Amino acid sequence: MGEIKVSPDYNWFRSTVPLKKIIVDDDDSKIWSLYDAGPRSIRCPLIFLPPVSGTADVFFQQVLALTGWGYRVIALQYPVYWDHLEFCDGFRKLLDHLQLDKVHLFGASLGGFLAQKFAEYTHKSPRVHSLILCNAFSDTSIFNQTWTANSFWLMPAFMLKKIVLGNFSSGPVDPMMADAIDFMVDRLESLGQSELASRLTLNCQNSYVEPHKIRDIPVTIMDVFDQSALSTEAKEEMYKLYPNARRAHLKTGGNFPYLCRSAEVNLYVQIHLLQFHGTKYAAIDPSVVSAEELEVQKSRLGLSQEEP
């Protein structure tokens, strides 16, 4: 079984895409870490937001593939924020610092929830042009942890890691999924106590998305048909919340399809972004890839995407 962190692709990514560290808050300890790749002339890039256990590099396969096709992609890692409002304010300052008025957001799990909250937070002066929500949820109460959310900051790191690992697949998985889980466990080990505690707090703090504030934003809901940390009820709630969303279904992929089913995920991302080609909100120069090329790739992989 090959390990992702010693794979040629991962090593190429680490050696060619620099990790930037940016401080936008008055508090110098709040550091955003990010990989910004692709043409700087693109003013509405795609930004990837990781799950609780993830670091910016969990999206390395998306960064490599999408920038290779001419997209501008930013994969980031959050500083320590203890509530959603604080996160949204910090993220807004980061976009200001990067001189980005509007962006497309891809959020995985917690990242998907935060993407929705940020779209909601900026709805009066929109900063989010579209959303791709991967294994995402719209209400933190699904985890039945709202009563412990305010005590995560007291827990030691090993206990927090145990809580996160409890949501990882424990049953039989294929080798690629096993590699993805190993890689995420390794990333989890790299996170400190305050990073983990703050993310779990954001994940479980009593909050829900107010759909009327973001109903005009184009959405693709990406989910898997096999086992993941997300219940069927949580998925159904997302479909109800976004009745006009496109649906990108993966037969398998578990909690981390962007690692173990990257070709499918990358193609769905391209299909989502295609609707903005030729506009000022394109994440790519539209001359770089044609709709016909995408259709060829789509038929090769035999992907299913439902229109609303």
Side-chain angles (χ1 to χ4, degrees), residues 276-291:
F276 311 111
H277 282 198
T279 74
K280 66 178 179 176
Y281 301 114
I284 187 179
D285 178 343
S287 65
V288 175
V289 64
S290 67

Side-chain angles (χ1 to χ4, degrees), residues 39-263:
R40 293 296 183 277
S41 57
I42 302 297
R43 304 310 306 153
C44 189
L46 175 63
I47 298 183
F48 285 85
L49 307 178
V52 168
S53 55
T55 48
D57 56 355
V58 302
F59 298 114
F60 77 95
Q61 299 190 83
Q62 285 66 52
V63 175
L64 288 178
L66 292 166
T67 54
W69 291 319
Y71 291 88
R72 182 179 177 187
V73 178
I74 298 172
L76 56 77
Q77 192 169 323
Y78 330 111
V80 172
Y81 289 119
W82 296 99
D83 67 59
H84 303 113
L85 194 61
E86 188 188 23
F87 165 82
C88 289
D89 192 50
F91 189 40
R92 180 184 55 77
K93 288 176 186 170
L94 178 70
L95 295 187
D96 290 346
H97 175 86
L98 296 171
Q99 299 180 315
L100 301 172
D101 289 333
K102 291 195 91 175
V103 292
H104 305 281
L105 296 180
F106 178 112
S109 192
L110 169 64
F113 182 71
L114 293 176
Q116 295 169 85
K117 292 304 284 183
F118 183 69
E120 181 189 292
Y121 171 78
T122 57
H123 78 282
K124 287 184 179 171
S125 178
R127 304 295 294 269
V128 179
H129 198 64
S130 77
L131 291 167
I132 304 173
L133 304 172
C134 176
N135 284 344
F137 53 92
S138 60
D139 188 335
T140 59
S141 65
I142 62 163
F143 298 109
N144 299 316
Q145 291 267 12
T146 50
W147 57 278
T148 55
N150 292 329
S151 57
F152 287 130
W153 67 279
L154 291 165
M155 297 182 188
F158 80 87
M159 196 180 288
L160 297 169
K161 285 171 184 171
K162 197 173 173 186
I163 292 169
V164 176
L165 288 170
N167 288 316
F168 284 23
S169 295
S170 52
V173 291
D174 66 45
M176 289 174 77
M177 287 171 69
D179 279 353
I181 293 168
D182 286 347
F183 185 71
M184 292 303 287
V185 170
D186 184 70
R187 299 297 83 206
L188 179 63
E189 288 297 328
S190 73
L191 297 173
Q193 191 275 344
S194 58
E195 288 175 294
L196 263 179
S198 65
R199 291 182 186 196
L200 280 168
T201 302
L202 293 176
N203 202 76
C204 300
Q205 204 170 53
N206 196 16
S207 183
Y208 58 88
V209 174
E210 298 177 60
H212 62 280
K213 291 183 177 174
I214 52 177
R215 62 173 169 231
D216 297 329
I217 296 174
V219 175
T220 291
I221 295 173
M222 189 181 294
D223 54 21
V224 297
F225 284 147
D226 61 351
Q227 185 193 3
S228 74
L230 217 56
S231 65
T232 305
E233 293 74 26
K235 291 179 190 177
E236 292 297 332
E237 192 56 40
M238 288 291 288
Y239 300 151
K240 273 190 243 167
L241 207 61
Y242 301 105
N244 299 319
R246 295 180 176 192
R247 297 185 192 177
H249 299 305
L250 289 89
K251 291 189 183 113
T252 57
N255 288 317
F256 317 116
Y258 38 88
L259 279 169
C260 61
R261 300 291 184 268
S262 60

Side-chain angles (χ1 to χ4, degrees), residues 12-29:
W12 172 250
F13 167 78
R14 291 301 299 264
S15 63
T16 56
V17 186
L19 178 65
K20 298 178 180 173
K21 294 189 179 284
I22 298 171
I23 296 170
V24 294
D25 290 284
D26 296 333
D27 180 352
D28 284 355
S29 67

